[in-house]
Amino acid sequence: MNIKILDLNYKPTDIAVGSARSCYFGKHIVTPENAAKWDKKNELLDSIFKAGHHTTLMHYHFTILIEGMSRLLIWRMLHSHPFYNSEQVSQRYAKMKIENFTYPKNADKEKWKKYYEKMFFYYEELIEKLTPEIEKVLPKFKKKEAKKRAQEFARYLLPQGMNAHLYHTINVITALRYITAAKVMPEANEEAKEFAKKLEIEMLRIDENLAPLIDFAKNEKVVFSKIDIEKIKKAKNIGDERVKVFDIVDYDFELNENFAGVMRLSSMLLDESILGGFNSYIKLSLSADAQNQRHRRSPAVRPKLEDIYKRDYYIPPIIQGESLEIYKRAVEESYEFFEKERDVLGFGEAAYALLNAHNIEIVEHDDFNEFAHKAQMRLCYNAQEEIFDIVYEQVKQLKKAGVKAADKFLPPCSIRYAQGIRPVCPEGERFCGVKVWKLGFDEYERVI
């Protein structure tokens, strides 16, 4: 794993102390340059940090270039909270490479190499099988995308040990929290600690005055919370459903230009939509949850994988016939390998072997303001199929429950059409080919 923090003109501790002093300095703002020269700078920094006054450390952001981090660790730590921004290589649209895998600590590397090669072989075989099948169902102007669409579905056969490269931006407090939290990550723990160490080195390269704060973070007590999904399921009468909406707070709101425009001004000019909301139980693949996490205002509790483990996996509807045989064979072989390695390495390290297709259970919370945006992104016909189906089911259940606002959870084209905004589809050449804005909710039907 390689990480590098992009250099900026100022040091984070100078900005933190300058902003803190500006709160109590009546004459003028205290600049970072002035803070740097102040002889009591480190004393004030230590005092406000240990007192929990952390907003001064949220002005400065680290933009980190990361290469060679596993999808497992990205899912478990980097994207499991709302305080980040990331742009990472897409498994939907970029062809993956066999050399890009993380190996568990103390693993038989040759054995794992053979496993990764085998799964990668299935991945490539499935792409070849699916491409002509997908080409048949795509509209004429989309047929050239058949192979990329095949990659989208074949990626379910890639293990969590698959690496990614990404831009990742966080503030100083979040960086310090990573250093603390890395100690208790239930999966990819050794990799998490490696990342924390490299992050520490980079932070000190940027600003040596962060050392006392880093030392504090390294010694802070932390636990990974116990989350009892079965208790929640029993309390909410959840059976075999993949999606179950509950705890609905019904509050109607006006669907206006703020929700329709690309600037998403509904997120800034808040209205009654923040007063309505609901919780959801969702069973979904690790692949779909990785996309689900990108909705940072849609937080979810994610138990330890070990606590909810069973052989359970998602099968995309497009996968039939010979493709389905390949898919099932790959998944069953992956479970066989994982369970053997679990007994040797422990669950958390063996989890690199779990495929994107592996199903997990989460409980998610949405307010109507956030969910209106999520529905736009995920009810678009260009959205990945599994997460489209999940959000469609959430909206369907809200409608069935009589929620007045449910009719406002629509794809972007439908909202833009209603508000008279042109072009109706904001995707340009990525237009799906279906005039969804002319369809009723019950008429939505994805071919792929």
Side-chain angles (χ1 to χ4, degrees):
M1 182 199 308
N2 295 309
I3 77 167
K4 178 179 174 56
I5 296 176
L6 296 182
D7 294 291
L8 300 178
N9 291 330
Y10 295 102
K11 292 186 176 183
T13 55
D14 293 342
I15 292 176
V17 171
S19 63
R21 291 192 71 202
S22 293
C23 294
Y24 302 102
F25 197 73
K27 293 181 180 180
H28 55 75
I29 198 162
V30 179
T31 66
E33 291 88 350
N34 290 336
K37 299 172 186 175
W38 190 44
D39 59 356
K40 294 184 179 180
K41 171 191 155 182
N42 289 334
E43 183 181 330
L44 177 61
L45 180 68
D46 186 65
S47 172
I48 59 177
F49 176 73
K50 289 182 178 177
H53 303 310
H54 294 160
T55 55
T56 60
L57 288 161
M58 295 179 182
H59 295 291
Y60 189 100
H61 280 69
F62 297 121
T63 293
I64 315 169
L65 308 186
I66 304 174
E67 293 183 295
M69 179 177 283
S70 74
R71 299 274 172 168
L72 181 61
L73 182 58
I74 293 169
W75 170 80
R76 173 51 81 193
M77 188 164 79
L78 270 64
H79 290 174
S80 65
H81 62 91
F83 309 111
Y84 76 91
N85 188 43
S86 282
E87 308 300 332
Q88 76 180 58
V89 60
S90 169
Q91 287 186 331
R92 290 184 74 188
Y93 302 122
K95 180 74 161 54
M96 297 296 102
K97 297 180 179 179
I98 183 60
E99 61 267 24
N100 294 337
F101 282 100
T102 292
Y103 290 84
K105 187 177 181 181
N106 301 323
D108 182 332
K109 189 169 182 179
E110 192 57 36
K111 185 192 295 186
W112 275 77
K113 185 172 184 288
K114 288 179 180 177
Y115 169 71
Y116 283 148
E117 287 173 345
K118 196 170 196 180
M119 291 303 113
F120 203 81
F121 170 80
Y122 285 132
Y123 164 73
E124 293 192 311
E125 186 179 20
L126 192 58
I127 290 172
E128 293 305 311
K129 289 286 185 184
L130 284 176
T131 299
E133 296 302 316
I134 290 174
E135 191 173 3
K136 291 176 186 176
V137 300
L138 287 175
K140 187 175 181 180
F141 77 105
K142 288 279 187 181
K143 289 189 183 297
K144 63 183 180 181
E145 298 176 8
K147 189 163 187 176
K148 284 199 171 185
R149 291 297 189 96
Q151 286 172 195
E152 175 181 335
F153 294 108
R155 84 188 195 284
Y156 280 102
L157 298 186
L158 291 173
Q160 292 302 293
M162 188 91 224
N163 289 339
H165 55 258
L166 64 155
Y167 275 67
H168 188 66
T169 301
I170 52 175
N171 63 39
V172 177
I173 283 297
T174 301
L176 292 168
R177 287 172 178 164
Y178 280 169
I179 290 170
T180 303
K183 298 180 290 187
V184 296
M185 288 297 105
E187 301 89 28
N189 183 265
E190 293 296 330
E191 187 186 6
K193 289 187 287 189
E194 178 192 355
F195 170 66
K197 182 61 180 174
K198 291 186 175 184
L199 180 60
E200 174 188 347
I201 292 169
E202 276 294 283
M203 289 170 68
L204 290 174
R205 180 182 65 80
I206 295 293
D207 187 349
E208 67 281 359
N209 293 306
L210 287 169
L213 279 60
I214 291 172
D215 287 341
F216 187 95
K218 287 160 72 172
N219 293 300
E220 181 80 321
K221 290 184 178 180
V222 60
V223 297
F224 189 89
S225 299
K226 172 71 176 177
I227 300 159
D228 192 341
I229 285 284
E230 291 304 317
K231 181 180 178 181
I232 297 171
K233 289 167 70 174
K234 185 176 181 181
K236 301 302 177 182
N237 195 30
I238 298 167
D240 296 330
E241 302 98 324
R242 289 189 65 86
V243 178
K244 176 76 177 282
V245 168
F246 56 93
D247 294 345
I248 299 170
V249 176
D250 190 3
Y251 211 106
D252 204 6
F253 63 96
E254 179 188 3
L255 191 66
N256 54 35
E257 293 90 339
N258 293 343
F259 289 90
V262 295
M263 291 295 290
R264 314 289 180 211
L265 288 167
S266 56
S267 297
M268 175 180 282
L269 302 174
L270 299 176
D271 59 13
E272 297 101 319
S273 59
I274 67 166
L275 304 178
F278 60 98
N279 295 327
S280 303
Y281 162 84
I282 306 172
K283 180 191 286 189
L284 75 174
S285 72
L286 282 164
S287 180
D289 195 40
Q291 292 199 335
N292 192 45
Q293 287 179 321
R294 303 313 306 278
H295 296 277
R296 289 159 294 183
R297 291 175 57 214
S298 176
V301 292
R302 295 176 170 88
K304 296 178 183 179
L305 292 182
E306 185 172 13
D307 291 347
I308 55 172
Y309 175 75
K310 64 185 75 163
R311 289 194 181 195
D312 189 8
Y313 58 96
Y314 175 76
I315 304 174
I318 192 70
I319 296 180
Q320 303 286 337
E322 285 186 50
S323 296
L324 183 59
E325 291 178 15
I326 295 168
Y327 191 90
K328 287 185 173 181
R329 183 162 66 250
V331 174
E332 289 303 320
E333 287 182 16
S334 79
Y335 280 132
E336 289 290 335
F337 179 83
F338 162 72
E339 289 172 3
K340 288 177 182 176
E341 291 301 292
R342 175 189 59 186
D343 296 339
V344 177
L345 302 172
F347 193 103
E349 290 299 300
Y352 289 111
L354 291 172
L355 300 187
N356 281 332
H358 178 66
N359 278 331
I360 62 170
E361 298 171 285
I362 67 172
V363 178
E364 172 184 290
H365 176 73
D366 295 273
D367 66 59
F368 287 171
N369 181 279
E370 173 280 324
F371 191 70
H373 172 248
K374 186 174 185 177
Q376 285 191 54
M377 296 296 98
R378 300 309 179 179
L379 291 180
C380 172
Y381 273 33
N382 283 339
Q384 191 264 346
E385 188 175 26
E386 184 184 358
I387 199 166
F388 174 96
D389 291 342
I390 289 166
V391 173
Y392 186 89
E393 182 61 29
Q394 287 174 305
V395 176
K396 182 179 177 181
Q397 290 185 28
L398 290 171
K399 286 176 175 286
K400 187 175 181 180
V403 172
K404 294 185 286 290
D407 288 339
K408 290 153 187 174
F409 302 134
L410 297 163
C413 58
S414 297
I415 295 176
R416 291 167 67 87
Y417 180 74
Q419 295 298 321
I421 297 176
R422 299 294 183 270
V424 175
C425 173
E427 291 292 324
E429 64 181 18
R430 294 180 297 275
F431 173 51
C432 68
V434 180
K435 294 181 179 179
V436 181
W437 60 90
K438 293 188 175 182
L439 301 176
F441 182 79
D442 293 337
E443 296 176 293
Y444 291 2
E445 186 176 356
R446 290 272 298 262
V447 177
I448 186 172

